[in-house]
Amino acid sequence: MKVNELYKIIRRNWVVKLTCFVLAIFIYFFYRTASLQSSTLVVPLKVSSQGNMVPAETVPSYVRVLLKGRPQDLARITNQNISTYLNLDYYTEPGEYAIPIQIQLAPEILGISPLQVTAENGTIEMTIAEKGRKQIPVKPDIQGSPAQGYEITNISINPSTVSVFGAVPLLESMGEVYTDEISMDERRTSFTQTVELIHDNQLVSYNAEPVSVSVTIQPITLTRRFVDQTIYLYGVNPLFIAQSEPDRVTFTLTGNQNQLEAFVPELHTVRIDCSNVKEPGVYDLPVEIVLPAGIRLVSQNPRTVKVALVPVSEDQVRLLETEIIEDEVDKEVVIEDVIVEEDAQEDVNPPGADEETSRSRVQ
């Protein structure tokens, strides 16, 4: 067949032939498209910000990806084969942008055809800002209180600050980075604890290595004032009558709260030693305040007291001697009674003694 004849055949009714050809192509692709099935996958969304811009607001963690293909091909595809991301590397100015969602397919599904992969929302409206760095202090999250009578006197953290990276407006609003909770309940001693940093803002990044928190716990120091406490005179010669002026003392103590709150002055707490006074007269003697360990004297008034020692009268001496003799007699009687009881117990045969004696006689 000559070329001219072929050309004539093609030109004959060429409009109809062209229309049929276009319809055939349309029907072919329509059939292929109609025979495809659709499915949806939820895929993690990441942000690439290698440049100077970073997100200044929360970005969705996941996006929906629409798939269209043959059923046998769709069954092979999972969300592990598809990754989505927002690329901020090409933005140089802060502001609000409609950033397109980029889709990347794994090599194992690149050869599938036909396959259509699109993001449900092709773009994401978001605000971006310039990337910055700030040194922010670390603050421990202290929970509870020490035991009764104890208090926290110092808290130190190592390291005390952390470098935080993120959008400049966000960094300007950040005051501190908190640690995990540290319980103080019923603690009585100082301690050091390693705790993690809380990373609850995904728009900023920092070194999340644990920090060391040292807490100093000490007893609470309390001050109490005791007014008009009676003075006890000891070591007084029996031949003297002693009397102090004044006979009461006021003093202030400091010490552990628990110990000081439980402290009650006794008869001998405030006292004066008169054992070195051998002659009657008036003496200016120091006042002693006897305290348990852990309680310290802050002040007292007065520190010295005038003590008058007066000889006792002859009648009082005779009465005193009589009392002493009676006490000695009572002691002797008690001793004799004890000796008599012991002798009586020795005369009593021990249990079974008569039976042993009887058996000996029978034998």
Side-chain angles (χ1 to χ4, degrees), residues 134-137 162-178 198-206:
K134 183 180 180 181
Q135 204 74 13
I136 295 180
V162 61
S163 294
V164 181
F165 300 88
V168 172
L170 295 177
L171 296 181
E172 291 176 350
S173 63
M174 290 185 64
E176 58 272 319
V177 174
Y178 283 88
I198 296 178
H199 194 179
D200 55 358
N201 189 345
Q202 300 303 320
L203 296 178
V204 297
S205 61
Y206 50 82

Side-chain angles (χ1 to χ4, degrees), residues 201-216:
N201 189 345
Q202 300 303 320
L203 296 178
V204 297
S205 61
Y206 50 82
N207 183 5
E209 292 184 358
V211 298
S212 177
V213 179
S214 298
V215 182
T216 303

Side-chain angles (χ1 to χ4, degrees), residues 260-274:
L260 195 54
E261 286 180 347
F263 175 73
V264 177
E266 299 178 349
L267 175 62
H268 299 166
T269 298
V270 182
R271 64 186 189 179
I272 295 177
D273 184 6
C274 302

Side-chain angles (χ1 to χ4, degrees), residues 218-233:
Q218 294 180 344
I220 296 176
T221 301
L222 185 68
T223 300
R224 287 185 64 189
R225 188 166 181 262
F226 296 85
V227 180
D228 294 339
Q229 299 298 308
T230 304
I231 298 175
Y232 172 73
L233 304 178

Side-chain angles (χ1 to χ4, degrees), residues 51 60 117 360:
V117 183
S360 300

